[in-house]
Amino acid sequence: MHDFLTRLPKAELHLHIEGSLEPELMFALAQRNDVVLPYASVEAVRAAYDFDDLQSFLNLYYQGMAVLRTAEDFFDLAMDYFRRAHGEGVVHVELSFDPQAHLSRGIGLDVQMEGLTRAMRLAERELDLSTALIMSFLRDRSAEEAMQVLEQAAPYWELIDAVGLDSAELGHPPGKFAAVFDRAKALGLPRVAHAGEEGPASYIREAMDVLDVCRIDHGVRCLEDPALVAELIERRLPLTVCPLSNVRLKVVERLDDHPLPALLEAGLTLTLNSDDPAYFGGGMLENFLACQRAFGWSEETFVALARNALEAAFMSEARRETLLKRLAAVSG
Ligand code: ADE
Ligand code: ZN
């Protein structure tokens, strides 16, 4: 099964590139940029990754990204991840980034975009890895600031595949960003949003109805509202589920308790993703393997999940056709 899950052409739709910062690279970049880290060693960083909830993770996540200062840093961050993902049989990566978390530290959008897009181009050339870029807004900051960032990104609209919504969910319902997402829609930008990770099922409905999203990030709390589940199924709206993330952030206590089997049984369109692999104990392959161990899923189930991701991905139809064929070859 390990070989099969490695060979399976996996598309990753929910990945925060800043959450792929491994402690080794964090230390290397800290040294390069003369940033003082509050850790004595790589081991001390890993030991600190013991989270109670989403906020306790976000505190370290925003602290860790302080080492990212130059375009070269963003390039190294993304390339480091692309190489690891490629080694795990990932064929397509949609990376979210949090521009406000860098702008607030005085790092310009030009710096962020140069580094990330240069790595995306190199990965496409060298690793045959297709990529897409999702610009995410921090929901615990104001909607006005998000709107400003969207307008400031005008020179890069062509390079952005979608906008997203992340950070601390509770108390920051999707409706707060209605005007920002309306503007993105008017610009022709697809929309996704985190909803129903820690927040209630009503946030999923709001993301769907008010933000008009084409995917829900997480969405695992939809089961609390059967009418919502029925609508998600009818619309075939994909959920980008992140199993190891949900365990580490205590959305569930153990993977065995995860609603994934129930979500699958209900007939929802699911995909498996890593969220913040450097913080949550593994990338795509480890998430697939953990589900295999916890739920004993068949090869057919994993093929169906991989197909859902390819069908829901932001990629050209030619690329989708190529990857679906590769999936069919692996599934024999
Ligand atoms: N930003 C990075 N990871 C996140 C997550 N799991 N939920 C919300 N915001 C995030
Ligand atoms: Zn996320």
Side-chain angles (χ1 to χ4, degrees):
M1 201 61 162
H2 187 287
D3 278 358
F4 174 79
L5 292 177
T6 306
R7 278 187 288 117
L8 196 68
K10 298 174 286 300
E12 173 145 57
L13 308 185
H14 182 165
L15 178 266
H16 302 267
I17 196 63
E18 298 93 339
S20 76
L21 176 64
E22 292 289 341
E24 289 79 4
L25 184 61
M26 190 191 288
F27 264 79
L29 295 181
Q31 192 160 38
R32 183 152 99 190
N33 294 324
D34 278 329
V35 174
V36 178
L37 289 173
Y39 307 104
S41 66
V42 162
E43 292 70 35
V45 182
R46 289 219 161 84
Y49 293 171
D50 181 16
F51 310 114
D52 297 324
D53 53 15
L54 175 57
Q55 189 60 58
S56 66
F57 152 70
L58 289 169
N59 295 341
L60 294 198
Y61 167 81
Y62 293 123
Q63 180 186 81
M65 64 177 81
V67 301
L68 300 167
R69 305 213 58 87
T70 67
E72 193 71 15
D73 300 338
F74 284 89
F75 171 83
D76 288 345
L77 171 72
M79 241 11 251
D80 202 47
Y81 183 68
F82 292 152
R83 289 193 201 287
R84 262 196 314 278
H86 175 66
E88 297 178 11
V90 174
V91 293
H92 176 83
V93 175
E94 307 202 339
L95 51 151
S96 292
F97 74 116
D98 290 325
Q100 290 156 283
H102 310 300
L103 287 167
S104 62
R105 302 183 291 111
I107 314 298
L109 206 48
D110 54 341
V111 170
Q112 304 173 38
M113 288 298 296
E114 185 195 326
L116 295 178
T117 57
R118 197 152 59 78
M120 290 165 72
R121 284 197 304 272
L122 186 63
E124 304 218 357
R125 247 189 356 259
E126 279 200 354
L127 306 174
D128 185 29
L129 189 71
S130 47
T131 61
L133 190 60
I134 302 174
M135 190 173 90
S136 284
F137 302 112
L138 302 183
R139 68 198 311 154
D140 47 356
R141 301 181 72 96
S142 73
E144 290 70 27
E145 184 180 300
M147 186 70 96
Q148 258 175 23
V149 172
L150 179 56
E151 296 302 339
Q152 190 183 340
Y156 310 107
W157 287 340
E158 283 298 317
L159 299 172
I160 292 166
D161 296 278
V163 297
L165 188 64
D166 62 7
S167 201
E169 186 180 10
L170 285 170
H172 302 285
K176 175 177 163 187
F177 295 89
V180 181
F181 276 60
D182 275 353
R183 174 71 174 138
K185 185 176 184 175
L187 293 170
L189 287 168
R191 297 152 309 285
V192 300
H194 284 54
E197 178 187 19
E198 281 192 345
S202 64
Y203 283 18
I204 303 174
R205 173 163 293 287
E206 223 175 282
M208 190 166 76
D209 292 348
V210 181
L211 305 187
D212 193 15
V213 296
C214 61
R215 301 194 307 235
I216 298 284
D217 290 320
H218 294 293
V220 292
R221 286 190 59 185
C222 68
L223 291 173
E224 293 164 16
D225 179 351
L228 171 65
V229 171
E231 199 165 335
L232 289 168
I233 292 168
E234 193 194 317
R235 295 200 199 184
R236 291 209 82 229
L237 207 71
L239 307 185
T240 64
V241 180
C242 306
L244 292 177
S245 162
N246 292 158
V247 175
R248 289 300 189 98
L249 300 189
K250 302 207 166 45
V251 171
V252 292
E253 204 171 303
R254 303 175 313 147
L255 195 50
D256 303 55
D257 305 327
H258 199 283
L260 260 165
L263 295 165
L264 197 62
E265 181 67 22
L268 288 152
T269 304
L270 307 181
T271 67
L272 297 182
N273 305 272
S274 75
D275 208 7
D276 300 281
Y279 290 86
F280 300 150
M284 282 289 273
L285 182 58
E286 200 42 59
N287 273 276
F288 275 64
L289 287 167
C291 286
Q292 206 282 325
R293 286 192 295 269
F295 312 127
W297 285 340
S298 65
E299 290 188 0
E300 288 70 28
T301 298
F302 285 108
V303 168
L305 293 169
R307 186 181 301 113
N308 287 345
L310 291 177
E311 287 174 350
F314 302 121
M315 62 171 68
S316 71
E317 292 313 313
R319 175 70 174 165
R320 200 183 322 275
E321 200 178 313
T322 301
L323 294 178
L324 284 169
K325 276 191 192 141
R326 222 185 279 177
L327 179 65
V330 169
S331 57

